[in-house]
């Protein structure tokens, strides 16, 4: 161990305090940051930089892509074997290698581009006092210019996928320890906290930070994308779609459940979603609202046969409309958006020829999920994967046998393996035929449902007919009432007119002198005025 604080030169690399001899972080260690998604960020960060600073161990292919784009590069590693390996690999390049604790090194000039795609877990010596993430981040900020480009990866130890790797492969799901660690100072508590430290923009990484296949803005990463990319390569049974991940996604969101985060500064914002499919090819991703697989498995767990039948029918209709869009997808790459089934990305892989084969392969994978995760289903216990697939097909009146299921599965798994994709693995019981009684029951349920639909259609037609008849009768009655009202008004006018005319005629024959004499009688004038008002009222009624 080198205990001095002043840099020294050892062969082709510099040494500072905190250097370590005993092991290598790049050989025989956990996965180094790699893959097309991280390489894309690394290239964008290093492009046309005058001084690129690479913090911690990185995959050599990723270093090859980044180092050639910067004028000069400094790589800081804490172990001598790694420093020697990198210095020899880039002996003819403008690359300076520093061996030791990052906190013990001060550059001659600040960096205008910083790459820390392995995080800060392997940059400090283990012999010194533990230092939290924020202290290392503060030191790193001091090594760069204020407007430098930067890409830093932050692991999320509370991710369900990280917890999944701690479960022994032979442990049953019931005995698995799904406890989440209490946050400590070794990592920031959230993406917002990490982004604020570097004043950058944050992205979620799926399924992990070692070799992510998806980087997405938090607001664009839906449950469907999280599930589609939530399959660790060392866990082919996909147990992460158990209630633990489902509850985390529902309550905390995709950001809290991600395998890790990436903070970028000074880079052009990427599209909402950047990722590769399971063959490693870049593709465009659709941020569907929900995962078809999770919704179907929830219906299965609730033993909701009608809900499960509805999801299977939606899938069949989508596959029948455009089989070429579904032939390269696995069942966890299906989304639900506005009530429609959609593929979360476009795939060129061929996993089936006809729509029937594609649908049967997807239903077989759904049955494998249900069996592998130990979820309940609407039918009696003891059903194996083959028989469960037959029952799922029977819900939409598709009659298949276990032999048909095994034939399609064998073809599908062969195509998956040859394409570099991972088949869905589930315990398989001994081959057996489906219970004829169970199949007859499902057929009877389908027939009853069709009968109910027919009855409802007939009732709607009858109600529409009755509504038309009622409206016609009402119009006829209203017209008759209007005619009767007009007839009565005419009769009333005819009866009132002669009486009014007679009174007016008699009043006109009274001599004027008599009228004036009578007018002098007390009380006659008010009576006359009243009579005139009555006569005017009668005339008005007669004119109407």
């Amino acid at each position: 161990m080198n205990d001095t604080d002043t840099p020294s030169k050892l062969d082709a690399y510099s040494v500072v305090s905190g250097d370590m001899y005993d092991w290598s972080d790049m050989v025989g260690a956990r996965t180094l940051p790699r893959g097309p998604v991280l390489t894309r960020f690394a290239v964008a960060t290093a492009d046309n930089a005058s001084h690129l600073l690479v913090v911690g161990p990185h995959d050599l292919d990723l270093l090859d892509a980044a180092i050639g784009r910067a004028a000069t590069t400094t790589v800081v590693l804490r172990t001598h074997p790694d420093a020697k390996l990198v210095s020899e690999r880039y002996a003819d390049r403008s690359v300076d290698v520093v061996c030791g604790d990052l906190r013990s090194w001060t550059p001659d000039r600040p960096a205008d581009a910083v790459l820390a795609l392995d995080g800060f877990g392997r940059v400090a010596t283990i012999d010194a006092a533990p230092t939290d993430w924020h202290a290392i981040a503060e030191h790193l900020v001091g090594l760069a210019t204020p407007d430098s480009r930067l890409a830093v990866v932050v692991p999320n130890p509370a991710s369900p996928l990280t917890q999944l790797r701690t479960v022994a492969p032979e442990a049953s799901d019931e005995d698995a320890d799904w406890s989440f660690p209490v946050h400590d100072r070794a990592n920031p508590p959230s993406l917002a906290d990490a982004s604020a430290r570097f004043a950058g923009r944050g992205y979620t990484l799926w399924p992990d930070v070692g070799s992510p296949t998806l980087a997405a803005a938090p607001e664009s990463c839906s449950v469907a994308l999280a599930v589609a990319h939530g399959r660790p390569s060392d866990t082919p049974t996909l147990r992460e779609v158990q209630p633990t991940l489902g509850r985390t996604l529902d309550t905390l969101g995709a950001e809290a459940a991600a395998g890790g985060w990436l903070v970028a500064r000074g880079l052009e914002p990427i599209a909402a979603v950047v990722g590769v499919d399971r063959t490693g090819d870049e593709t465009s991703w659709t941020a569907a609202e929900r995962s078809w697989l999770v919704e179907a498995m929830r219906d299965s767990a609730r033993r909701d046969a009608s809900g499960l039948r509805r999801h299977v029918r939606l899938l069949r209709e989508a596959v029948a409309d455009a089989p070429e869009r579904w032939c390269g997808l696995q069942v966890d790459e299906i989304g639900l958006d506005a009530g429609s089934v959609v593929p979360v990305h476009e795939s060129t892989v061929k996993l089936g020829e006809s729509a029937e084969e594609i649908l049967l392969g997807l239903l077989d994978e759904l049955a494998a999920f249900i069996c592998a995760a130990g979820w309940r289903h609407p039918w009696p216990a003891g059903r194996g994967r083959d028989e469960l697939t037959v029952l799922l097909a029977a819900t939409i009146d598709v009659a298949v046998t276990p032999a048909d299921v095994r034939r399609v599965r064998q073809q599908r798994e062969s195509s998956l393996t040859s394409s570099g994709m991972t088949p869905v693995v589930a315990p398989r019981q001994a081959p057996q035929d489906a219970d004829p009684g169970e199949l007859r029951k499902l057929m009877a349920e389908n027939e009853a449902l069709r009968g109910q639909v027919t009855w409802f259609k007939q009732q709607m037609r009858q109600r529409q007919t009755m509504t038309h008849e009622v409206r016609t009768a009402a119009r006829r009655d209203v017209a008759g009432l209007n005619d009767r009202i007009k007839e009565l008004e005419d009769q009333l006018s005819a009866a009132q007119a002669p009486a009014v005319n007679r009174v007016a005629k008699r009043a006109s024959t009274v001599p004027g002198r008599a009228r004036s004499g009578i007018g002098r009688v007390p009380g006659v004038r008010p009576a006359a005025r009243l009579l005139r008002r009555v006569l005017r009222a009668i005339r008005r009624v007669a004119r109407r």
Side-chain angles (χ1 to χ4, degrees):
M1 185 70 60
N2 188 345
D3 295 328
T4 62
D5 293 332
T6 58
S8 63
K9 193 73 174 177
L10 182 64
D11 295 333
Y13 57 88
S14 302
V15 181
V16 296
S17 177
D19 58 319
M20 310 184 76
Y21 289 95
D22 297 335
W23 72 84
S24 168
D25 289 325
M26 299 181 65
V27 179
R30 61 177 172 85
T31 304
L32 293 171
R34 68 185 67 188
V37 173
L38 292 182
T39 301
R40 183 168 182 171
F41 283 97
V43 169
T45 303
D47 195 28
N48 295 324
S50 61
H51 183 199
L52 171 65
L53 173 60
V54 181
V55 178
H58 288 68
D59 181 69
L60 294 176
D61 292 337
L62 189 147
L63 287 178
D64 290 340
I67 288 176
R69 297 180 175 271
T72 60
T73 303
T74 301
V75 183
V76 180
L77 302 164
R78 65 178 180 177
T79 68
H80 283 274
D82 297 341
K84 181 178 179 181
L85 174 63
V86 174
S87 61
E88 291 177 351
R89 184 179 182 89
Y90 303 108
D92 58 343
R93 304 276 191 94
S94 298
V95 177
D96 296 326
V97 180
V98 178
C99 180
D101 193 319
L102 175 67
R103 297 166 294 173
S104 303
W105 174 70
T106 302
D108 297 333
R109 59 191 179 96
D112 62 342
V114 178
L115 276 183
L117 300 183
D118 189 51
F120 300 153
R122 292 183 283 192
V123 300
T125 176
I126 62 174
D127 295 331
T131 305
D132 60 47
W133 185 91
H134 293 276
I136 298 178
E138 183 177 358
H139 180 78
L140 182 61
V141 169
L143 302 179
T145 60
D147 57 348
S148 61
R149 293 197 298 267
L150 178 142
V152 176
V153 165
V154 182
N156 179 19
S159 167
L161 306 183
T162 302
Q163 295 298 298
L164 182 63
R165 286 182 167 83
T166 66
V167 182
E170 64 273 8
S172 65
D173 293 336
E174 291 77 10
D175 299 331
D177 182 8
W178 291 94
S179 62
F180 283 71
V182 178
H183 169 66
D184 55 20
R185 295 290 296 176
N187 292 283
S190 65
L191 175 58
D193 184 70
S195 301
R197 170 61 64 179
F198 295 105
R201 177 179 175 84
Y203 301 94
T204 58
L205 297 178
W206 295 85
D208 50 33
V209 295
S211 54
T213 57
L214 181 78
E219 63 274 11
S220 301
C221 189
S222 63
V223 174
L225 288 183
V227 172
H229 284 271
R231 183 201 306 197
S233 59
D234 56 353
T235 311
T237 56
L238 302 181
R239 289 176 293 174
E240 67 275 9
V241 297
Q242 286 183 322
T244 300
L245 179 60
R247 284 195 298 268
T248 304
L249 292 170
D250 289 340
T251 57
L252 301 180
E255 176 185 332
W261 311 303
L262 186 143
V263 179
R265 186 181 71 188
L267 304 181
E268 290 294 331
I270 65 170
V273 179
V274 171
V276 299
D277 60 19
R278 290 191 175 138
T279 63
D281 298 328
E282 292 193 25
T283 185
S284 58
W285 290 88
T286 302
E289 297 175 352
R290 295 172 293 154
S291 168
W292 180 90
L293 172 65
V294 171
E295 296 300 321
M297 291 184 69
R298 284 175 177 169
D299 287 337
S300 176
R302 291 191 293 260
R303 292 182 176 171
D304 183 1
S306 61
L308 192 57
R309 180 185 289 110
R310 181 177 63 255
H311 283 99
V312 173
R313 183 178 294 112
L314 287 174
L315 180 61
R316 180 189 62 179
E317 294 171 355
V319 172
D321 290 340
E324 66 280 357
R325 298 187 63 192
W326 303 90
C327 64
L329 299 180
Q330 294 182 268
V331 72
D332 53 339
E333 297 173 312
I334 301 173
L336 283 171
D337 199 6
S340 301
V341 179
V342 295
V344 297
H345 71 93
E346 302 294 336
S347 177
T348 58
V349 180
K350 298 296 182 182
L351 302 179
E353 297 296 335
S354 63
E356 292 76 13
E357 289 183 354
I358 298 170
L359 176 63
L360 187 57
L362 293 174
L363 293 181
D364 177 57
E365 288 189 348
L366 172 60
F369 272 92
I370 295 174
C371 293
W375 286 52
R376 299 183 302 176
H377 53 75
W379 302 286
R383 300 289 183 260
R385 177 178 177 178
D386 297 345
E387 190 173 7
L388 184 56
T389 305
V390 172
L391 294 176
L392 289 170
T395 60
I396 53 174
D397 288 337
V398 175
V400 296
T401 64
D404 297 331
V405 174
R406 291 190 290 272
R407 176 182 56 80
V408 171
R409 181 189 305 146
Q410 184 178 5
Q411 296 175 354
R412 188 177 181 86
E413 290 182 349
S414 176
S415 300
L416 285 170
T417 304
S418 62
S419 302
M421 302 167 68
T422 306
V424 180
V425 178
R428 300 179 185 177
Q429 298 181 354
Q432 55 180 340
D433 292 333
D435 185 1
E438 200 71 46
L439 293 176
R440 284 194 298 269
K441 181 180 178 181
L442 285 173
M443 296 301 181
E445 289 180 359
N446 289 333
E447 188 65 30
L449 287 175
R450 281 197 295 270
Q452 291 179 8
V453 171
T454 303
W455 182 83
F456 279 118
K457 290 182 178 179
Q458 293 175 351
Q459 292 294 314
M460 291 298 297
R461 283 195 292 269
Q462 291 177 3
R463 291 180 182 179
Q464 291 174 354
T465 303
M466 292 173 61
T467 301
H468 177 72
E469 293 176 352
V470 169
R471 288 178 179 175
T472 303
R475 293 192 186 99
R476 185 169 56 249
D477 293 343
V478 170
L481 287 174
N482 289 333
D483 294 341
R484 180 59 178 166
I485 289 172
K486 188 175 185 307
E487 181 182 350
L488 292 175
E489 289 177 347
D490 294 342
Q491 291 177 2
L492 179 61
S493 299
Q496 290 176 344
V500 174
N501 292 337
R502 284 195 299 273
V503 172
K505 185 176 181 181
R506 290 177 181 177
S508 63
T509 58
V510 178
R513 296 180 61 184
R515 290 201 302 271
S516 63
I518 294 173
R520 289 192 292 269
V521 178
V524 171
R525 289 183 181 278
R529 285 194 296 270
L530 178 63
L531 179 61
R532 283 195 296 273
R533 285 196 295 271
V534 172
L535 289 175
R536 284 195 296 270
I538 292 175
R539 289 191 187 97
R540 284 196 298 271
V541 173
R543 283 195 298 272
R544 292 178 183 175

